[in-house]
């Protein structure tokens, strides 16, 4: 089976739009990284805090919506 040569010069409209947007506004990428750090980069907790959090959790029923009568 013979494969066709792929065109490595092709760029989609979306890729061109993103490149153009980043060229016009270079601060966008820094803003993305700052937003990511707010959501995902959490400070580490100490072992004492982890133990206290684990001890303070309340066990949930197997079926939450059923009332015990």
């Amino acid at each position: 089976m013979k494969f066709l040569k792929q065109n490595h010069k092709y760029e989609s409209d979306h890729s061109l739009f993103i490149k153009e947007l980043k060229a016009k506004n270079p601060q966008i990428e820094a803003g993305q990284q700052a937003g990511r750090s707010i959501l995902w980069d959490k400070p580490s907790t100490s072992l004492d805090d982890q133990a206290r959090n684990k001890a303070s959790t309340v066990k949930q029923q197997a079926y939450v919506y059923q009332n015990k009568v």
Side-chain angles (χ1 to χ4, degrees), residues 46-59:
S46 67
L47 294 176
D48 293 334
D49 290 340
Q50 290 177 11
R52 186 178 47 203
N53 289 341
K54 188 174 182 180
S56 67
T57 58
V58 177
K59 187 173 181 186

Side-chain angles (χ1 to χ4, degrees), residues 4 6-7 10 28 31-33 39 42 48-49 53 56 60 65 67:
L4 299 174
Q6 292 182 353
N7 189 357
Y10 172 76
I28 285 179
Q32 288 176 329
Q33 290 175 357
L39 292 174
K42 303 292 181 189
D48 293 334
D49 290 340
N53 289 341
S56 67
Q60 189 175 4
Y65 302 107
N67 294 331

